[in-house]
Amino acid sequence: MDGVRAPGGVRARARILARGDGRGGTSLPVLEGEGPLAVRRTRGSGAEARVLLVGAMSGPLGGDHFTVTAEAVRGARLRIGSAAATLALPGQDKAGARYDVRIGVADDAELHWLPEQLISAHGSDLHVTTHVDLAPTARLVLREEQVLGRSGEEPGRLTSRLAVRIAGRCVLDQELSCGPGAPGGWDGPAGLAGHRAVGQAVVVRPSFANAPPAARPVGEGAAVMPLAGPAVLVTAVAPDALRLRRLLDEALACLD
């Protein structure tokens, strides 16, 4: 049963649909969650609606499969966060866990995907995929942060894939694999270089088509890189989650 821990793991889904209400605001006609994926509307600001993902159970554990679908249609302004960090844990099921995120943004709509960190605990095995499909004039701010291990422990296995399409054209498709069993070199000078926190942010704005931001470093450990479209990728590595957030915030502030 969805949302109930059982042999083979939990299958749980959450769905969020936002649309302009015709009065300068944003309505949420669909706000659904199962089991560990509870969703709550919080106080918005101006035209923006705000939603929090609230973990109602521990996990994802081995064998679990969570799916979050978020869509902003014409006129919507939507911000999605989470109430706390997501902690990937080992489970009785030796199979790996999956966490899939599907985001869609229509023309004249904007979505901010800003969850808290994902922590890969020792012994866990999690595969995260985030797929984003944007219309030509859609706007997006997406931030992902991964922390390898809790304080003083070795990380679990974490594979994270992020793919972004604008008007049907792929502008970004990257995968990072870390921890035990990952391809060699993930922790070397060409990878995380000993850091235990890694993150990325994608910003999509139609104005970038004519005036793309220049590629440049930000602080120690972050870089801004324009993509082949009205989009920018920020990548960062840091010794801990606090420093990682500061680097990503600094880079996003530079784009504003």
Side-chain angles (χ1 to χ4, degrees), residues 8-53:
V10 169
R11 304 294 183 268
R13 295 178 179 271
R15 185 178 175 220
I16 303 161
L17 173 65
R19 61 164 50 102
D21 63 8
R23 303 185 302 275
T26 299
S27 65
L28 295 169
V30 179
L31 196 62
E32 302 172 344
E34 301 170 340
L37 294 177
V39 290
R40 300 288 184 268
R41 181 167 190 168
T42 62
R43 185 181 297 275
S45 176
E48 182 181 78
R50 297 188 178 184
V51 173
L52 278 182
L53 292 168

Side-chain angles (χ1 to χ4, degrees), residues 52-200:
L52 278 182
L53 292 168
V54 181
M57 298 169 62
S58 62
L61 309 185
D64 290 353
H65 189 171
F66 297 170
T67 303
V68 177
T69 302
E71 185 178 4
V73 299
R74 185 176 294 273
R77 306 291 182 267
L78 176 62
R79 179 182 295 257
I80 303 173
S82 60
T86 296
L87 181 61
L89 295 165
Q92 293 182 347
D93 193 310
K94 299 305 180 182
R98 294 190 60 88
Y99 200 130
D100 296 327
V101 177
R102 302 288 183 265
I103 294 173
V105 188
D107 283 317
D108 188 31
E110 181 171 355
L111 189 147
H112 290 216
W113 175 260
L114 303 169
E116 295 303 309
Q117 297 91 357
L118 168 63
I119 302 171
S120 175
H122 179 65
S124 65
D125 184 357
L126 177 63
H127 193 115
V128 181
T129 60
T130 303
H131 288 276
V132 183
D133 281 292
L134 306 173
T137 63
R139 295 179 297 280
L140 173 79
V141 178
L142 178 147
R143 183 190 68 214
E144 293 186 336
E145 300 166 307
Q146 294 95 25
V147 179
L148 306 181
R150 292 168 291 191
S151 178
E153 76 172 2
E154 292 298 310
R157 171 72 180 271
L158 176 63
T159 302
S160 177
R161 181 183 177 190
L162 172 60
V164 179
R165 297 172 65 88
I166 302 175
R169 178 188 179 192
C170 182
V171 299
L172 176 68
D173 193 340
Q174 67 175 21
E175 184 171 286
L176 175 67
S177 188
C178 306
W186 68 269
D187 200 23
L192 302 190
H195 292 95
R196 284 296 178 265
V198 58
Q200 47 279 329

